Each structure stands twice: as structure tokens, then as C-alpha cells.
Amino acid sequence: MPEPILILAMKDDSETGKIIQTLAYSNHPLITVFNWKNQGWEKLRCENSRVKTEDNLVDPESIDPVSLDLVIIDEEIQDNIQLYTILEKIRELDIPLIFITSNSNNTLEGIQINQKEIYLSRPFEPREFILTMQTAFYKKNVERALHESENKYRILIENADDPIAIVDYQGKFTLVNKSAAIFFSCEEEKFQGKTMWELFPPEIADLQMNNIKKVIDTGEGRIFENKSIIRGKEYFFSTNIQPMPLKNGEVGSVQLIARDITPMKMVENALKKSEEKFREVFNNANDGISLHLIEEDGSPGKFYEVNDVVCQRLGYCKEELLEMGPLDVITPETKEKLYEVMRTINSKGKATFEAIQVTKEGGLLTTEISNHVFTLQGREMIMAISRDITERKKTERQILRILAGIEGAGDAISIAMPDGANFYQNRAFNELFGYSVEELNIPLGPVKLFADLELGRYIYQTIMNGNRWDGELEMVTESGRIFPAYMQANAIKDNKNRIIGLICVLNDITERKRVEYALKTSEEKFRNLAQTAVDAIIIIDGEERIIFSNNSLERIFDYRAEEIMGQYIDTLIPQRYMEEFQVKLDFFHQDDLGVGNIFESFGMRKDGSEFPLEMSLNTWEAEGNVYTTFIIRDITQRKLDEFKLKMREDIFQLMSQNIDEVFWIIDPLTGQILYMSQSYHKIWGRSISNLYQNPRSWIESIHPRDQEKFISYIFGKNGKTTSHREGIECSVIRPDGEKRRIKVRAYPVINQNKEIYRRIGIATDISDWTPDSG
């Protein structure tokens, strides 16, 4: 570690000597100090309790501000002309600055941090001074690490193939990468500041912003598919929206990563037109992103960074993969190909190839990997974007399965020539009607299957003209049986929009009609059950008008049935919550989420008073009409209980963040750390984020002679509580080598079944500091 270089400028020589002596006793083996003395600079070396003068007169111009690590100056002499000049240079370079100030006016006490400047008020102890200096070094190291992390993030964004953007709560784009700018035919600089509504139609922009605001409000990311109109052309995207926290922890904007899935959607839609009951043939696959080094011989080195998708696909945790490289996760056949790929990358800077990857469990994944070279912090690396194409390779087999599925489908399916002559009928069609394909293989031959021949000719003429027809009608079998059926008929077209065939999908709905009749007869039973329900029940039609309400509606909303019947549902919802309610309602309708969709909103009684409610909804069809049933529950008491619980949690957080002792909670079965207080870094000298990344780091920081005692005590060896009721003492070795003596007290938490379900602990710093300690 390079020796720290400091500038020291004090008004009082005795105080200067005290500070220099303290530096000599610090943990640093060697410190260079430029001391302001007699309007000149004195160069000193502080080492192992000794102070050595190397030069009594140093030219101020010879001091390079860039090499400085810290400046310590008496606030009373900062206006000295020579000192003022060098201070201005230092402030431009973001070098930590400590002002020694007097507290005679009682405006400052102890250590005060003001942005990049730190104030230490007199009188101060050596320990306070060393702590202040360590704080300044720590701030500088944190700022440097943050800057390096931001550079790494920006490189990943700029080199991504997918469009990536950052959007704030008002829908304004604050950052876009090159891929996004190219996709929208707009320069990156001109892209900045544009809003969603300037790039998309209003209805699409509103939908996008609804999802973005949900992520910002909840702090939880989400992935969804959506349709967009760009430059008059329709596109489909799989969009990953993740929250972007601010420095204060709040979420002010989101990051969007959009994957163009338009080609896949075109294939999917074509298949749906042929048969709506068959599932999607092609599925989206999320991409894995990894960085790896290049060895001196040109071969791929260890992974430098991997994302969660790579970990999930291969079954390894991130720490395991960072000890491996691309050669460790591919088959021998792919390894032979990879060496040729590396030669291409070395000559052209990029390459795309197919690879067979091996998971931790031994499974095989077919992937398409796009590689390109870039430089990160002066080192050449390769970014690999891997796309799982296992499903793509299975497409042909899936299509064959789909054809087999058509033959085995329960619906009757027939395919005819453009003139209406059948040339294919599946097994279900033959069994339903009793006709062979040869008997219907004449122009308009299938018309004989219609009970109403005129309707049959009309339907065939409609689809022969390239249009679609679907609906209920009566059909007749070869034996003369007439039965109700539902038919979907359409023309089959090629890529030039020419009709090359006709397809009809038909199913016998005799049983459904019987069930519908039974449902009608049971309507009175439903009404009796609904009227006795504790929750309010309403039914609305497709125009969102109320067509049914039970007795509980009057108890909750104060409306009688005759008052609310025929009214729109917004009569029961406060106007200021209506837009949000409508968005939720449309979301459940559009996404077809099934029965029992539940969400919370607010209701409005007849007298105008508002209250929180919970709604469960179900949309259903009857006789061609769409209806929605709502079951509504007043949750005022539940919300009051939740508020009380949240208040107790906030009080606990406030206490844990304002005590000097370290407080933790551990799962006794797994040993997992469930909670660690913010003061952890004060004693252990490590960040909490580092602890959660390496859960054993806090135990490994305990002095080796104390580790067994510490583990046995805090975890309760063999499930017993412990005999050390007064606690134990042990030493912590911080990353900088400093030792801290701590007293630890741990207690089991017993549940109502008299079982230990949590272990809590408290660590107190009991170190006695002396100048020559450590």
C-alpha cells in the first residue's frame, strides 16, 4: 500500500507537534508530511513513533497536488495567500480536507462532515484525530470505488445489443444507449429529454408509464410484453423494468431493457389464426451476459462478471462462476470450436457462434453466443451475450407434434381447397359426421353438413372471399342427427395474401347447451346464496352498469338495490381513485388472469364518505354477453392493524440505526443472518453489503484463538442456550489490521411452542485506545 502524503498547516506550533507525534504513532508504517512553517514547507517522515525532518525548505511549486491524500489546516490561517492558492487546487481535485477549528462560539462540537470537508473542533484527543483522518481516507476510497463502478455499468450499457434506457417518474428519458438511439433513428444527444408521449402513441405511452410508475412506487422490478408503434410500424417487445435507487435509497427512475420479439410474435400470431386452442410454439428466452478475461496466449480466461441469468441457467452461484471460465461450462466439442472463435475475435474483434453449455447438474443447453472485445480499466475483456436457443432447435419437432395434435384433437377439423372441396379431415371430424373425405371432395361438398343449406353456402362464400366466420349453428350427420355446434371458419393465405385453402374447426356443443339450460334454472339458487353473503356482491355488464346487487351492498355502501340498479360502477368508487381502479380492471380483463383476481381500492358510500376495500372479480360470458362479478369487502379494520404493525417496525428500525452497539438476528436452524444493524461497520470495519455477499466474513474477522468460542456462543452449540450469561469477550481484526476488543451477549428467542426460533446478539466495543496500541 503506498505511503500517505499529507499537508499540515497549523497556527500553533505546539498543536502542530501534537498532530505530528500522533501521526507517528498511527497504524500507517510511513507517512510523509509537508508541514507549513515560517511561511515555507518543511518535509517530514513519521514512522514507528519517530519523526524525521528530511528537508527544512521545500519549494511550494514542487508539491504535486495530485499526489496528495489529505490536507489538514487550521481554519484561522486558511486565508493566507499562499495557502489559499494551493487550497483552490486541492478543492478542484476532490482531495479530502480537514479543518481544525475552535469551538469557542459553541457552533461546532466534535467531528462535523460538510460535503467534501471535515471539521474537527478543539480540544481534541489523539484518538479523535486518528478517527477523523480515517474517515477522510474512507470517504475518498468510497468515492473512487463508486466512480469505477459507474464506469463499468456505463460500458455494459453502451455495449449491449438490446435498446436500454433510463426513464424518470414523469416519463422523461434521462439516458439511452446506442442501440436504442439507432432503433428510433435518433441521435443519442437529441434523444435526451424526450418523453414517452413524443415517441409512442398516447395509449401505448400511458400503458408504459403505468408499468414504470408501479415499479417506482413498489420498488419491485417486472418483465412484461407489450406492443408499440414506432415510425408507423408495429413492434412487439419483451421489456425488463428495474428500479433505479437514488443515493438516499428512494426510487426516482427505472431502467428499461427492451427485447424486440416481433419476428417471434409474427410466427405466433400466424399459428393462432390457424388454431386458437394450440399453445404458443415459440417462447421468449432471457439472455445471459458475462465478461471474461483474455489470457496472454489468446485463450479465454476466468469470468470477470456474470449476471443472474447465467447463474440460473448453469445452476452455479455467482461466487462459483467467478472461479471458473467459459472452458469450464461447455462440452469438449464446443471447446474445439471455441479456440477457432477466439482467433476470429482476436483478428476481427467480434464473433457469433453456437455452443453447447453444461449445467452444474450435467444438463446440456444449446446457446447462441455473441462475443466482442472491449477495454475495461486498461484490460482487454470479452463481453459474451448468450441466448438460449434450445427451444428454437426443438421447433421442427414441436411443429410435428402440433400436426399430431391436430389429428388427435377432440374438435372436428377439416381443410378444403379454395373451391370448397375437402381434402383433409381429422379423426374427430370423421367420427362426428360419418362422411369420408372422398364423399366431401367436390366443390362446396361440405355444405351438405349444414342443417340450413343457405347458411352453409353463405359461410363458404364468406371464407372463399378471404373473410372469417365464427358462431353457433346447427349441423347434420350422415345418419340425419341434428345437433348444435360452434364453428370457426377462415381462409388460409400465403405470404402474398393469396387464398390457398379453407379451414373449419367445429365442436359439438350439445352438452354445453344442456349446461347453459341448467345454469339458467339455478339462477334463483344463486340469488338466494348471494343475498345471504356477508360481503357485498354486484354484477356489471359489458357497459359497466350494475345489473345485480345483494343485501350486504346496502349495509356497506348505504345504497338500496333499486337505487344502485342500472348505475355505473364508478358510483361506488371515489372520483380521484377511478382512473387507478379502471386501470386495474382493464389489466385483469386484458390479461385474462382467471377466477379470483383480487386487488385493493377505495369505496364511496352514499353520504360521500370513503373507506378502503378489497375486491375479488371474475369475468364470464353468457349468451354472447360479458359480465363481471365483484365480491367487495370493507377492510378498514385490517388497514388499521397493518398501520399499527408498520409503526412498530419503524420504531425498531429507528432504534437499531441510532445505537453504537452491533445488533443481529440469526436463524438457529440454518445459521443465516436475518438482520445486522448499521453500526456493524464501526466495529468490524466492513460494510453490511460485503457481509451479505460473504456471510462468513464476520466470523473470519474474529481472532483465530477466539473463533471457536465465538461460534459456539452465538449459535448455541448443540442447540443449548449457553452458560456464559454475562457474555464473552473476543477480538475483531479489521481489514486495515486494527484489533478491536468486543464484549458479546447472545440470547435465544423462544416461541409459543417453547422452541428456539431465533437467536439475537449484541456486540459492544470495549477497546481501550492508547497512542501506541495496535
Side-chain angles (χ1 to χ4, degrees):
M1 181 176 179
E3 64 184 75
I5 300 177
L6 285 66
I7 278 184
L8 177 62
M10 302 298 296
K11 181 179 179 181
D12 188 341
D13 290 342
S14 64
E15 194 168 47
T16 300
K18 176 183 176 182
I19 291 175
I20 292 174
Q21 192 63 32
T22 300
L23 292 173
Y25 277 101
S26 67
N27 287 330
H28 293 282
L30 183 62
I31 299 177
T32 299
V33 180
F34 289 96
N35 179 39
W36 178 255
K37 187 174 183 180
N38 299 326
Q39 303 300 312
W41 293 103
E42 175 187 41
K43 185 176 181 181
L44 305 173
R45 291 291 178 104
C46 301
E47 179 180 9
N48 298 330
S49 306
R50 294 177 298 171
V51 180
K52 180 182 178 183
T53 302
E54 291 201 346
D55 198 338
N56 287 325
L57 187 60
V58 178
D59 183 2
E61 297 297 329
S62 66
I63 301 176
D64 183 8
V66 177
S67 65
L68 294 177
D69 295 290
L70 180 63
V71 176
I72 306 168
I73 187 169
D74 192 327
E75 186 182 38
E76 295 182 15
I77 64 172
Q78 63 175 316
D79 294 330
N80 181 287
I81 186 64
Q82 291 177 298
L83 292 177
Y84 182 83
T85 302
I86 195 168
L87 279 176
E88 289 302 308
K89 294 181 180 179
I90 288 168
R91 285 191 172 101
E92 292 176 359
L93 296 172
D94 293 334
I95 296 172
L97 182 59
I98 297 177
F99 280 109
I100 307 298
T101 182
S102 173
N103 65 347
S104 60
N105 57 4
N106 294 322
T107 57
L108 290 174
E109 291 185 5
I111 302 171
Q112 300 289 331
I113 301 176
N114 181 16
Q115 295 182 349
K116 298 173 184 175
E117 298 173 353
I118 302 176
Y119 291 84
L120 176 62
S121 59
R122 299 184 181 90
F124 56 86
E125 295 296 327
R127 181 177 182 179
E128 286 184 275
F129 177 80
I130 293 298
L131 177 61
T132 305
M133 188 174 70
Q134 290 174 345
T135 300
F137 286 150
Y138 176 77
K139 286 174 82 283
K140 182 178 180 181
N141 291 335
V142 168
E143 290 171 357
R144 182 187 295 115
L146 179 61
H147 180 69
E148 292 175 355
S149 175
E150 289 175 348
N151 285 343
K152 179 180 176 181
Y153 171 77
R154 187 169 293 277
I155 290 173
L156 287 171
I157 294 296
E158 287 300 320
N159 286 275
D161 293 333
D162 293 333
I164 300 177
I166 295 179
V167 183
D168 64 17
Y169 199 85
Q170 285 71 41
K172 183 181 294 184
F173 288 85
T174 60
L175 180 145
V176 293
N177 68 347
K178 293 180 181 178
S179 297
I182 293 173
F183 196 86
F184 286 94
S185 299
C186 181
E187 298 178 8
E188 289 181 72
E189 296 78 7
K190 295 182 180 179
F191 209 117
Q192 305 292 340
K194 286 185 178 294
T195 65
M196 278 285 181
W197 293 272
E198 294 179 86
L199 297 173
F200 301 101
E203 63 277 5
I204 295 176
D206 290 341
L207 179 61
Q208 289 273 29
M209 285 308 302
N210 178 59
N211 289 301
I212 289 172
K213 289 181 178 180
K214 282 185 179 179
V215 171
I216 293 176
D217 291 339
T218 63
E220 297 178 359
R222 61 181 308 203
I223 300 175
F224 68 97
E225 291 184 5
N226 63 301
K227 181 177 73 172
S228 295
I229 307 296
I230 301 173
R231 301 187 301 275
K233 187 176 180 181
E234 185 177 84
Y235 289 88
F236 290 89
F237 293 96
S238 175
T239 305
N240 186 333
I241 303 180
Q242 295 296 330
M244 297 287 290
L246 301 173
K247 291 184 178 179
N248 60 4
E250 296 181 356
V251 177
S253 57
V254 297
Q255 174 183 272
L256 288 84
I257 303 178
R259 173 66 43 77
D260 183 2
I261 58 172
T262 305
M264 187 190 72
K265 282 294 182 181
M266 292 175 64
V267 173
E268 179 183 320
N269 291 336
L271 290 174
K272 284 183 178 180
K273 289 180 181 179
S274 300
E275 178 49 61
E276 294 182 353
K277 291 189 176 182
F278 298 122
R279 65 181 180 85
E280 294 179 357
V281 176
F282 300 104
N283 295 316
N284 293 329
N286 294 324
D287 290 347
I289 302 175
S290 64
L291 307 179
H292 63 81
L293 303 172
I294 304 176
E295 301 291 356
E296 293 183 359
D297 61 358
S299 62
K302 282 187 176 182
F303 287 117
Y304 183 81
E305 187 64 72
V306 295
N307 69 351
D308 291 341
V309 174
V310 175
C311 299
Q312 292 167 2
R313 281 183 185 165
L314 300 180
Y316 293 97
C317 67
K318 185 175 183 179
E319 289 73 18
E320 290 175 316
L321 284 174
L322 294 183
E323 295 297 323
M324 305 165 67
L327 294 175
D328 299 316
V329 293
I330 56 177
T331 61
E333 295 77 13
T334 304
K335 286 182 182 179
E336 296 180 5
K337 184 191 302 184
L338 186 59
Y339 289 111
E340 180 61 33
V341 171
M342 290 301 295
R343 285 192 287 270
T344 302
I345 293 174
N346 291 332
S347 61
K348 297 183 179 180
K350 59 182 180 179
T352 301
F353 70 105
E354 289 187 7
I356 306 297
Q357 293 183 321
V358 183
T359 68
K360 187 175 182 178
E361 300 299 326
L364 301 180
L365 293 174
T366 305
T367 57
E368 181 181 74
I369 302 178
S370 174
N371 289 339
H372 69 274
V373 180
F374 72 100
T375 302
L376 178 62
Q377 298 176 356
R379 304 178 67 181
E380 277 199 342
M381 293 189 184
I382 291 179
M383 173 184 281
I385 301 178
S386 59
R387 179 167 296 175
D388 187 350
I389 59 172
T390 304
E391 293 300 322
R392 185 193 303 172
K393 292 295 183 181
K394 294 178 181 178
T395 298
E396 292 182 2
R397 293 194 296 272
Q398 287 179 321
I399 292 176
L400 292 176
R401 293 191 189 101
I402 290 173
L403 292 175
I406 292 175
E407 184 60 30
D411 293 342
I413 302 173
S414 67
I415 303 177
M417 299 297 292
D419 62 359
N422 268 11
F423 70 87
Y424 170 79
Q425 300 167 181
N426 69 347
R427 181 170 53 84
F429 187 96
N430 295 331
E431 292 175 353
L432 180 62
F433 287 99
Y435 288 100
S436 67
V437 68
E438 291 78 14
E439 292 175 295
L440 302 177
N441 190 18
I442 58 174
L444 296 179
V447 170
K448 69 171 66 177
L449 305 177
F450 293 81
D452 185 341
L453 296 179
E454 287 298 321
L455 176 61
R457 280 189 285 268
Y458 169 77
I459 291 173
Y460 263 82
Q461 193 61 49
T462 297
I463 62 177
M464 289 167 66
N465 290 336
N467 299 313
R468 175 188 177 90
W469 190 94
D470 63 89
E472 295 182 5
L473 71 174
E474 289 186 334
M475 306 295 288
V476 59
T477 67
E478 184 184 31
S479 63
R481 181 177 75 90
I482 298 176
F483 63 93
Y486 178 78
M487 172 182 283
Q488 294 173 296
N490 204 351
I492 304 173
K493 301 178 183 180
D494 62 12
N495 55 5
K496 295 184 179 179
N497 208 36
R498 294 177 299 193
I499 298 174
I500 59 175
L502 310 173
I503 183 170
C504 293
V505 180
L506 182 143
N507 59 335
D508 185 346
I509 59 173
T510 302
E511 181 62 20
R512 195 189 83 188
K513 286 293 185 181
R514 185 192 66 79
V515 171
E516 287 178 355
Y517 176 77
L519 287 175
K520 287 182 179 180
T521 60
S522 66
E523 181 180 352
E524 188 62 32
K525 181 186 294 184
F526 161 75
R527 289 183 177 274
N528 291 334
L529 290 173
Q531 292 296 1
T532 59
V534 176
D535 295 333
I537 301 176
I538 62 173
I539 300 176
I540 64 172
D541 59 16
E543 297 180 354
E544 298 187 357
R545 289 182 180 271
I546 299 172
I547 62 171
F548 172 82
S549 67
N550 68 346
N551 294 333
S552 292
L553 181 80
E554 182 176 356
R555 177 177 54 82
I556 296 176
F557 288 91
D558 295 335
Y559 284 103
R560 297 192 305 276
E562 56 270 21
E563 291 178 314
I564 202 65
M565 202 66 64
Q567 298 295 322
Y568 288 103
I569 192 172
D570 59 8
T571 305
L572 305 177
I573 306 297
Q575 187 62 38
R576 59 197 180 101
Y577 294 108
M578 192 57 206
E579 182 178 355
E580 178 186 1
F581 172 81
Q582 192 65 53
V583 168
K584 291 179 180 178
L585 186 61
D586 293 343
F587 173 74
F588 285 120
H589 285 170
Q590 294 172 4
D591 289 83
D592 191 21
L593 297 180
V595 178
N597 304 310
I598 299 175
F599 64 90
E600 293 183 3
S601 186
F602 285 85
M604 183 173 65
R605 300 184 180 92
K606 183 178 179 180
D607 61 5
S609 60
E610 299 178 4
F611 64 97
L613 55 77
E614 180 181 81
M615 286 190 174
S616 172
L617 65 87
N618 175 32
T619 300
W620 44 280
E621 292 186 15
E623 299 180 351
N625 297 316
V626 179
Y627 302 93
T628 302
T629 301
F630 291 88
I631 301 177
I632 305 171
R633 178 171 300 173
D634 185 343
I635 58 172
T636 302
Q637 186 59 44
R638 184 204 301 175
K639 288 299 181 181
L640 288 174
D641 295 340
E642 291 175 355
F643 175 76
K644 292 177 183 178
L645 178 61
K646 180 65 169 58
M647 286 295 292
R648 289 196 292 270
E649 291 176 351
D650 290 345
I651 291 172
F652 170 75
Q653 289 291 336
L654 184 61
M655 291 176 61
S656 65
Q657 293 172 5
N658 288 275
I659 60 174
D660 293 331
E661 288 81 358
V662 180
F663 174 76
W664 64 80
I665 303 176
I666 298 175
D667 187 320
L669 297 179
T670 64
Q672 180 182 0
I673 299 172
L674 303 178
Y675 175 79
M676 181 67 72
S677 66
Q678 295 295 326
S679 53
Y680 168 77
H681 75 280
K682 294 181 181 179
I683 295 179
W684 264 260
R686 301 173 184 271
S687 66
I688 291 179
S689 60
N690 175 270
L691 172 64
Y692 286 129
Q693 291 175 2
N694 182 9
R696 284 194 57 83
S697 62
W698 72 312
I699 295 175
E700 293 168 352
S701 298
I702 301 298
H703 195 286
R705 68 168 177 268
D706 296 331
Q707 282 188 8
E708 184 176 352
K709 174 176 65 174
F710 181 80
I711 293 171
S712 177
Y713 180 65
I714 67 171
F715 289 105
K717 189 175 181 181
N718 299 326
K720 299 179 181 178
T721 53
T722 183
S723 61
H724 300 281
R725 297 187 179 276
E726 298 302 322
I728 62 171
E729 294 185 8
C730 54
S731 296
V732 175
I733 304 175
R734 295 161 62 95
D736 58 5
E738 180 186 356
K739 298 177 183 176
R740 309 299 298 173
R741 192 67 178 168
I742 62 174
K743 183 172 183 178
V744 181
R745 299 185 298 277
Y747 311 95
V749 181
I750 311 299
N751 62 16
Q752 61 184 5
N753 296 324
K754 297 184 178 180
E755 299 172 333
I756 299 175
Y757 82 104
R758 292 288 185 272
R759 289 190 179 274
I760 63 175
I762 301 174
T764 306
D765 190 345
I766 58 173
S767 305
D768 293 326
W769 187 91
T770 58
D772 57 351
S773 64

